[in-house]
Amino acid sequence: MTDKVVGILGGGQLGRMLAASASLLNIKTVILDVGEHGPAKQVVAPLSSHHAHIDGSFSDPAKIKELAAKVDVLTVEIEHVDADALAQAGCAVHPSPSTIKLIQDKFAQKQHLHARGCPISPFISVESTVESIHAAAASLGLPLMLKSRTLAYDGRGNFVLRDISQAQEALTALGNRPLYAEKWVSFTHEIAVMVVRSTSGEVRAYPVVETVHKENICHLVFAPLRSRDTTLSQRAQSVAMDAIKTFDGAGVFGVEMFLMEDGALFINEIAPRPHNSGHYTIEACETSQYENHLRAILSLPLGSTELKVSSCAMLNIIGLSSSMDDIKALTDVALTVPGASTHLYGKSECRKGRKMGHITVVAPSDAQLRSRLRILLAALPSSPIEETDLYAPNPPVPGSGFSNAHPLVGVIMGSDSDLPVMLPAARILDHFEIPYELTIVSAHRTPDRLVEYARSAAPRGLRVVIAGAGGAAHLPGMVAAMTALPVIGVPVKGSSLDGVDSLHSIVQMPRGIPVATVAINNGTNAGLLAVRILAAGNPKLVAAMDAYLKNLETEVLGKVDRLAEVGWEQYKVAK
Amino acid sequence: MTDKVVGILGGGQLGRMLAASASLLNIKTVILDVGEHGPAKQVVAPLSSHHAHIDGSFSDPAKIKELAAKVDVLTVEIEHVDADALAQAGCAVHPSPSTIKLIQDKFAQKQHLHARGCPISPFISVESTVESIHAAAASLGLPLMLKSRTLAYDGRGNFVLRDISQAQEALTALGNRPLYAEKWVSFTHEIAVMVVRSTSGEVRAYPVVETVHKENICHLVFAPLRSRDTTLSQRAQSVAMDAIKTFDGAGVFGVEMFLMEDGALFINEIAPRPHNSGHYTIEACETSQYENHLRAILSLPLGSTELKVSSCAMLNIIGLSSSMDDIKALTDVALTVPGASTHLYGKSECRKGRKMGHITVVAPSDAQLRSRLRILLAALPSSPIEETDLYAPNPPVPGSGFSNAHPLVGVIMGSDSDLPVMLPAARILDHFEIPYELTIVSAHRTPDRLVEYARSAAPRGLRVVIAGAGGAAHLPGMVAAMTALPVIGVPVKGSSLDGVDSLHSIVQMPRGIPVATVAINNGTNAGLLAVRILAAGNPKLVAAMDAYLKNLETEVLGKVDRLAEVGWEQYKVAK
């Protein structure tokens, strides 16, 4: 490992999680921040007075020098530090002070990204005058996003100019600080990617997440992103990695992006440090953003950024007032939610809008994740998060019936006449307590619905589709052609050919697109096959399937006994 | 949450991990142990002098009283404390001092378990005399396990008497401490279950793990246990929970068990605290053993004990000498292993046999887990862990060929004549970099091998079986009858009936046992279906399958262009 000591500028929650991560690897940290008992200082007890934390501002050049004298590497939990003082600290600093300085000034950051071909929305410089704002509005149109160049976060320092008459109001609200203007982009979603960059310039991207902001504050993060655009994740990771390659220095960087209706991506802004949208990595990824930040700044090998769970969300615990009561109520509920891990930052005072902690929820599927999140949201009566935020960007397909609002299996059939054959599949899923949806999708009579259903299946969180059809029976194969999910086909017996027509139509798929075909009219087996597929990697479901098989055996052995007891002449076959 | 403060007797690695877990929930802890900077004290910086850690022995009644005065609940990281002093501490203590006292004395522990009907091997009291040992050997046979009743751990305090002439040697080795004798049990494996018990007596079991001991020291833990005995996990959890229900007090308990050849289970011993065999829960379970211990002793709701990853192992980092060099060499390698999380305990000195840290490895499958572990073991040249420990208790089936030593998919066929049809399945798995094994299993000519293959498939870590067969084609269905895994059937065209015979034989399975049937002779689609099944919940594989489908589309669109360009009269169909 390493004997190097890390100095952290800033002792809030990011410093706390960074220091806790360092402790796992027995890496020593020293914290610089005002106060003796801030969040980060609580979790590191210095081994000696030489490694004692420093009480002082992370913007004070003298204190930065004092910290640098105690450590081997300096890093930051916040970008609003004195970058010039960092440059003269006299020890290694990551990310580099020039990068921190560049990112501090959002206008300079945009200029940098623009010059290097990174996708950003149009922006221009604005003087702190009404006239200059009018000129910007004339150039970029209304509404116009006015932003403070520096010291802005969580929406502070932003003003949306909807009418040019608001120019003076904007100047007052933004405190006459240096400004710039961005063209208003009507994005459909906000997404983010954490990127880790090593001292040698190697970059690795974490999974793309969807961030749900309300009033400019991030409330909820979903990982991984689900989209019916199968290229989106890879594109977003590339944009993020390309952007981070343009900056000097090592560490993790948060890249926030806007996703447009047409699939285009714009970088919104970049944070040169661990980021709120990466908290989920502690419980959900093979290496957390904090450990990877440490590895990067210490020139250790970067860790895997892969998810280790199927589905994850992170809910910020945001103060509603100066009272801790709401926080307690929420965290009490969180203790009852399976897969929920509560993080409280040890802040001594609560206030409206303050991030007091977060809750990460992991689950074996999107369906279970949403069910678990719902319990938390019910404990947040005044939360701005809405029901639709739980589904975005993948709303349910209209008309589907659900055994549960968050289905894992889609059971579809070409016609209502197939229902008697398909109901046993639903009964099996009920038996194994697997949430499903059930509806009619006709390949020939509702072709648009077929496309919509198949393309949306995976991003909506379905894991398996069971499709039943008779006659020409194109439904299972056509669905399989439009999704990467496993599709189970049930041949339904029609009025002629005894179902052999459907069987051959479903099973004889061309090379490249398989359909998992079960016996004619055997909806039961389709349900059981779906359970076997879902059980791969789910020990509980494997045990349930083992029990089911054992039960089949017991049933037949019961008949063995009855046949021996009653005698074959008297034996009556149960209907 | 809670404002209660927790006092921990013992400041080693268990106390460290317990305190770190408490910090996540902002629960304050105070540590009692000798020294100022032990492992646990490093990760908790007291907010005030009232909550300052205590320098003293966790067996010192005065120090225990001093700790009790500072906190609301006392707990232990080690059972070798002064239980009588704890009983008089004057604050809540969990687990209860009487339980700690009972468990401290292994003979009393056995008597307690025996009286309550818990399965343990025969044992008797022994005086510290040669004659008494001879009597015990006469009663329980040789070899005989002689154990010190108290203060024994990691094999210290145990003596295996192989010949009665060793009686005096045993007395000397065991230091003339109070003894008892246990009948030697020739177990096949050692397993363990962590159980959490609430103050109201609710118990929850963690997944059953296999522990690999060498010279009485636990080196390796695998979770979850894989066994072809599908009842084993549930039986072991029941035994463990039943045992813990008999003890007073709250917290987590480690229950170590012996698994016998015939499937019987004996409790070996119980630890009234977080346990080495439960370290894996930090990265691998929905709630760690440490957090659940805190929840239990603070009367908070118990957390979910479910695994959140598919496969996990924990490797202890054990000192080889007083040098830290070996530790550094191992942890340097661990940084390069995906899914490996290193925990170093911050111990200032290393010595032979001392637990300096541990490495948890998680993976999406047993196959990947073993591949990852292999890298770590290669960095441990003097480790007593052998290759076979990686497979136990599920060795490979003889004769199987592997694309990788740790396969995820089994590709089998009834006859070597099926190979040309099945090879394309292997090629697809190669393309998606999915490890598989490939062999011949004939239902009719090697029925015993069929049973062995099917029954061992899931415990060996296979996730999907692809079975090809022609004619009567019983192989896929018979395998499906003997495993809960999804089985994909490939009908192979024979010399007559054009393969319809095999298709019908494979697809027309009775209700209860599905086979996912693909088109006649279509090994490619069998491979692709296996990939789709494995991709459920694996975003990387989903992306790879999406890319595969996109490529099929591009290929056909290329032909569209060529047809338009060349003209249909000139167009030549590629062979």
Side-chain angles (χ1 to χ4, degrees):
Chain A
M1 203 59 63
T2 182
D3 293 328
K4 287 186 183 163
V5 178
V6 176
I8 304 174
L9 280 80
Q13 64 264 28
L14 297 171
R16 179 184 176 99
M17 290 184 267
L18 195 57
S21 181
S23 290
L24 296 178
L25 302 173
N26 198 31
I27 291 170
K28 306 281 174 274
T29 48
V30 183
I31 319 286
L32 165 60
D33 206 346
V34 174
E36 279 181 58
H37 300 299
K41 291 179 180 177
Q42 293 168 23
V43 300
V44 186
L47 286 190
S48 68
S49 59
H50 178 67
H51 290 144
H53 301 308
I54 301 176
D55 186 351
S57 165
F58 47 71
S59 297
D60 179 341
K63 294 290 183 182
I64 292 176
K65 275 225 150 65
E66 188 183 337
L67 178 62
K70 290 166 174 264
V71 304
D72 301 290
V73 186
L74 283 182
T75 191
V76 300
E77 67 139 25
I78 183 165
E79 57 272 37
H80 306 305
V81 294
D82 185 333
D84 294 326
L86 269 181
Q88 290 158 29
C91 76
V93 182
H94 286 292
S96 78
S98 62
T99 293
I100 294 171
K101 190 164 184 163
L102 183 60
I103 285 177
Q104 278 175 346
D105 181 339
K106 288 187 180 179
F107 182 68
Q109 187 191 131
K110 294 270 166 179
Q111 283 184 306
H112 171 94
L113 292 170
H114 181 63
R116 276 140 194 96
C118 298
I120 52 170
S121 61
F123 67 102
I124 47 174
S125 169
V126 172
E127 301 294 310
S128 293
T129 64
V130 168
E131 295 69 31
S132 183
I133 292 176
H134 285 181
S139 160
L140 298 178
L142 287 174
L144 182 71
M145 181 57 100
L146 284 168
K147 288 189 172 181
S148 176
R149 289 174 62 152
T150 56
L151 295 172
Y153 65 101
D154 281 358
R156 273 168 278 195
N158 288 2
F159 190 97
V160 182
L161 191 86
R162 300 192 181 276
D163 188 286
I164 54 165
S165 68
Q166 293 175 290
Q168 184 55 52
E169 184 191 339
L171 286 173
T172 310
L174 294 170
N176 289 312
R177 293 233 300 284
L179 302 180
Y180 76 106
E182 281 179 20
K183 185 174 169 61
W184 180 262
V185 285
S186 53
F187 55 84
T188 62
H189 292 96
E190 290 180 80
I191 65 177
V193 181
M194 295 302 307
V195 176
V196 58
R197 180 192 160 104
S198 74
T199 42
S200 64
E202 179 195 354
V203 291
R204 290 190 185 185
Y206 276 92
V208 185
V209 300
E210 188 191 351
T211 58
V212 179
H213 286 74
K214 300 284 174 181
E215 293 151 20
N216 291 302
I217 295 183
C218 175
H219 279 260
L220 198 53
V221 171
F222 286 98
L225 181 75
R226 308 289 184 191
S227 169
R228 66 180 71 184
D229 175 354
T230 57
T231 68
L232 180 59
S233 273
Q234 192 263 320
R235 284 193 296 121
Q237 288 180 321
S238 291
V239 166
M241 289 191 289
D242 287 346
I244 298 313
K245 281 179 195 159
T246 71
F247 293 104
D248 281 340
V252 298
F253 293 75
V255 183
E256 294 183 284
M257 282 178 262
F258 296 131
L259 173 61
M260 310 303 289
E261 183 79 49
D262 64 358
L265 292 165
F266 290 120
I267 294 176
N268 176 19
E269 55 186 66
I270 290 176
R273 52 167 171 79
H275 190 259
N276 195 179
S277 67
H279 290 350
Y280 78 95
T281 60
I282 298 175
E283 281 85 9
C285 288
E286 293 192 331
T287 314
S288 77
Q289 65 167 344
Y290 299 99
E291 180 167 327
N292 250 338
H293 186 73
L294 292 165
R295 288 178 181 224
I297 66 174
L298 291 164
S299 301
L300 297 170
L302 299 185
S304 158
T305 53
E306 298 288 326
L307 277 172
K308 66 181 181 184
V309 301
S310 293
S311 194
C312 176
M314 189 280 314
L315 178 72
N316 275 326
I317 302 177
I318 297 173
L320 296 173
S321 66
S322 63
S323 159
M324 292 273 193
D325 293 351
D326 306 300
I327 312 290
K328 185 170 168 6
L330 174 61
T331 55
D332 282 351
V333 170
L335 288 173
T336 69
V337 177
S341 297
T342 300
H343 295 249
L344 287 171
Y345 302 147
K347 295 185 181 180
S348 53
E349 281 171 21
C350 189
R351 60 171 186 265
K352 186 167 161 55
R354 193 173 200 201
K355 289 177 183 159
M356 301 300 291
H358 73 265
I359 300 166
T360 303
V361 184
V362 301
S365 67
D366 291 359
Q368 279 147 292
L369 182 77
R370 289 171 184 145
S371 297
R372 290 171 177 190
L373 263 182
R374 240 168 223 267
I375 307 172
L376 288 178
L377 294 180
L380 272 175
S382 56
S383 167
I385 302 168
E386 292 156 53
E387 178 72 20
T388 51
D389 292 321
L390 281 188
Y391 293 100
N394 303 298
V397 170
S400 299
F402 305 107
S403 77
N404 175 298
H406 314 293
L408 266 179
V409 178
V411 182
I412 56 174
M413 57 208 79
S415 157
D416 59 353
S417 63
D418 303 328
L419 191 55
V421 170
M422 300 307 286
L423 264 185
R427 292 293 92 82
I428 289 289
L429 297 172
D430 285 333
H431 172 81
F432 285 94
E433 296 177 4
I434 291 169
Y436 60 93
E437 60 182 24
L438 190 149
T439 190
I440 297 165
V441 177
S442 168
H444 305 122
R445 285 159 295 188
T446 63
D448 293 338
R449 181 171 169 81
L450 163 74
V451 174
E452 169 65 16
Y453 191 89
R455 294 275 186 219
S456 73
R460 286 192 297 116
L462 296 187
R463 290 282 180 82
V464 182
V465 175
I466 300 175
H474 294 172
L475 181 67
M478 286 310 300
V479 172
M482 287 184 281
T483 179
L485 295 178
V487 175
I488 299 170
V490 186
V492 176
K493 198 192 282 195
S495 50
S496 48
L497 295 174
D498 243 8
V500 174
D501 47 349
S502 339
L503 169 61
H504 288 182
S505 179
I506 292 174
V507 78
Q508 287 295 106
M509 288 291 292
R511 249 172 263 285
I513 318 283
V515 168
T517 309
V518 296
I520 295 165
N521 270 10
N522 203 329
T524 302
N525 274 7
L528 289 168
L529 183 56
V531 176
R532 286 186 184 224
I533 289 172
L534 292 169
N538 181 332
K540 254 188 132 165
L541 219 44
V542 173
M545 181 53 78
D546 282 331
Y548 181 89
L549 293 172
K550 184 56 80 181
N551 193 44
L552 289 184
E553 187 176 34
T554 310
E555 250 180 46
V556 176
L557 294 177
K559 292 177 182 175
V560 168
D561 291 345
R562 201 157 61 83
L563 186 62
E565 208 178 290
V566 177
W568 50 88
E569 302 291 357
Q570 270 64 48
Y571 189 90
K572 296 230 182 340
V573 180
K575 287 287 172 194
Chain B
M1 202 58 60
T2 181
D3 293 326
K4 286 185 182 162
V5 178
V6 175
I8 305 172
L9 280 80
Q13 65 264 28
L14 297 171
R16 179 183 175 100
M17 289 184 268
L18 195 57
S21 182
S23 290
L24 295 179
L25 302 173
N26 198 31
I27 292 170
K28 306 279 175 276
T29 48
V30 182
I31 318 287
L32 166 60
D33 206 345
V34 174
E36 278 181 58
H37 301 298
K41 291 178 181 177
Q42 293 168 23
V43 300
V44 186
L47 286 190
S48 68
S49 59
H50 178 68
H51 290 143
H53 301 308
I54 301 176
D55 186 352
S57 165
F58 48 71
S59 297
D60 179 341
K63 294 290 182 180
I64 292 175
K65 275 228 150 65
E66 189 183 335
L67 178 62
K70 291 167 173 263
V71 304
D72 302 289
V73 186
L74 282 182
T75 191
V76 300
E77 66 138 26
I78 182 165
E79 58 272 37
H80 306 305
V81 295
D82 184 333
D84 294 327
L86 269 181
Q88 290 158 29
C91 77
V93 182
H94 286 293
S96 79
S98 63
T99 293
I100 294 171
K101 190 165 185 162
L102 183 62
I103 286 177
Q104 277 175 347
D105 182 338
K106 287 187 180 181
F107 181 69
Q109 187 191 132
K110 295 269 166 179
Q111 284 185 306
H112 170 94
L113 291 171
H114 181 64
R116 277 142 194 95
C118 299
I120 52 171
S121 60
F123 67 103
I124 49 175
S125 170
V126 172
E127 301 294 312
S128 293
T129 65
V130 169
E131 295 70 32
S132 182
I133 291 175
H134 286 179
S139 161
L140 298 178
L142 286 173
L144 182 71
M145 182 56 102
L146 285 168
K147 289 189 171 181
S148 176
R149 288 175 62 152
T150 55
L151 296 172
Y153 65 101
D154 281 357
R156 272 169 277 197
N158 288 2
F159 190 98
V160 182
L161 192 85
R162 301 193 179 275
D163 188 285
I164 54 165
S165 67
Q166 293 176 288
Q168 185 54 52
E169 185 191 339
L171 287 172
T172 311
L174 295 170
N176 289 311
R177 294 232 300 283
L179 301 180
Y180 76 105
E182 281 179 19
K183 186 174 168 63
W184 179 262
V185 286
S186 53
F187 54 84
T188 62
H189 292 96
E190 291 181 78
I191 65 176
V193 182
M194 295 302 307
V195 176
V196 58
R197 181 191 159 104
S198 75
T199 42
S200 64
E202 179 196 354
V203 292
R204 290 189 186 187
Y206 277 91
V208 184
V209 300
E210 187 191 352
T211 57
V212 179
H213 287 73
K214 301 284 173 181
E215 292 152 21
N216 291 302
I217 295 183
C218 175
H219 279 260
L220 199 53
V221 171
F222 287 97
L225 182 75
R226 310 288 183 190
S227 168
R228 66 181 72 183
D229 175 354
T230 57
T231 67
L232 180 59
S233 273
Q234 192 265 319
R235 285 193 294 120
Q237 288 181 320
S238 292
V239 165
M241 289 191 289
D242 287 347
I244 298 313
K245 281 180 196 157
T246 70
F247 293 103
D248 281 340
V252 297
F253 294 75
V255 183
E256 294 182 283
M257 283 179 261
F258 295 130
L259 173 62
M260 309 303 288
E261 184 78 49
D262 65 357
L265 292 165
F266 290 120
I267 294 176
N268 176 19
E269 55 186 67
I270 290 175
R273 51 166 171 81
H275 190 259
N276 195 179
S277 68
H279 289 350
Y280 80 94
T281 61
I282 298 175
E283 280 85 9
C285 287
E286 294 192 331
T287 314
S288 78
Q289 65 167 345
Y290 299 100
E291 180 166 328
N292 250 338
H293 186 73
L294 292 165
R295 289 178 180 225
I297 66 174
L298 291 164
S299 301
L300 297 170
L302 298 185
S304 158
T305 53
E306 297 288 328
L307 276 174
K308 66 180 181 186
V309 300
S310 293
S311 194
C312 176
M314 190 280 313
L315 177 72
N316 276 325
I317 302 176
I318 298 173
L320 296 174
S321 66
S322 63
S323 160
M324 292 273 193
D325 294 350
D326 307 301
I327 312 290
K328 183 168 169 10
L330 175 61
T331 56
D332 282 350
V333 170
L335 288 173
T336 68
V337 176
S341 297
T342 300
H343 294 249
L344 287 172
Y345 302 148
K347 295 184 181 178
S348 53
E349 280 170 21
C350 189
R351 60 169 184 265
K352 188 168 160 53
R354 192 172 201 203
K355 289 176 182 159
M356 301 300 290
H358 72 266
I359 299 167
T360 303
V361 184
V362 301
S365 67
D366 291 1
Q368 279 146 294
L369 182 78
R370 290 171 185 145
S371 297
R372 291 171 177 189
L373 263 181
R374 238 168 224 267
I375 307 172
L376 288 178
L377 294 180
L380 273 175
S382 55
S383 168
I385 302 167
E386 291 154 54
E387 178 72 20
T388 51
D389 292 320
L390 281 188
Y391 294 99
N394 303 298
V397 170
S400 298
F402 305 107
S403 77
N404 175 297
H406 314 294
L408 265 180
V409 178
V411 181
I412 57 175
M413 57 208 80
S415 158
D416 59 354
S417 63
D418 303 328
L419 191 54
V421 170
M422 301 306 284
L423 264 186
R427 292 294 92 86
I428 289 290
L429 298 172
D430 285 332
H431 172 83
F432 286 94
E433 296 176 3
I434 292 170
Y436 60 93
E437 60 183 23
L438 190 148
T439 190
I440 298 165
V441 177
S442 169
H444 304 120
R445 287 159 294 187
T446 63
D448 292 338
R449 180 170 169 81
L450 164 74
V451 174
E452 170 64 16
Y453 191 90
R455 293 275 187 222
S456 73
R460 286 192 298 115
L462 296 186
R463 290 282 179 82
V464 181
V465 175
I466 300 175
H474 294 173
L475 181 66
M478 286 311 299
V479 172
M482 287 184 282
T483 178
L485 294 178
V487 176
I488 298 170
V490 185
V492 175
K493 198 191 281 195
S495 50
S496 48
L497 294 172
D498 242 9
V500 174
D501 47 349
S502 340
L503 169 61
H504 289 182
S505 179
I506 292 173
V507 78
Q508 287 295 104
M509 288 292 292
R511 251 173 262 283
I513 318 284
V515 168
T517 309
V518 296
I520 295 165
N521 270 11
N522 204 329
T524 302
N525 275 7
L528 289 169
L529 184 56
V531 176
R532 286 186 183 224
I533 289 171
L534 293 169
N538 181 332
K540 253 187 131 168
L541 218 44
V542 172
M545 181 53 79
D546 282 330
Y548 182 88
L549 292 172
K550 183 56 81 180
N551 193 44
L552 289 183
E553 188 177 32
T554 309
E555 251 180 46
V556 176
L557 293 178
K559 291 177 183 174
V560 168
D561 291 344
R562 200 157 61 83
L563 185 61
E565 207 179 291
V566 176
W568 50 88
E569 302 291 358
Q570 269 64 47
Y571 190 90
K572 298 229 182 339
V573 179
K575 287 288 172 195

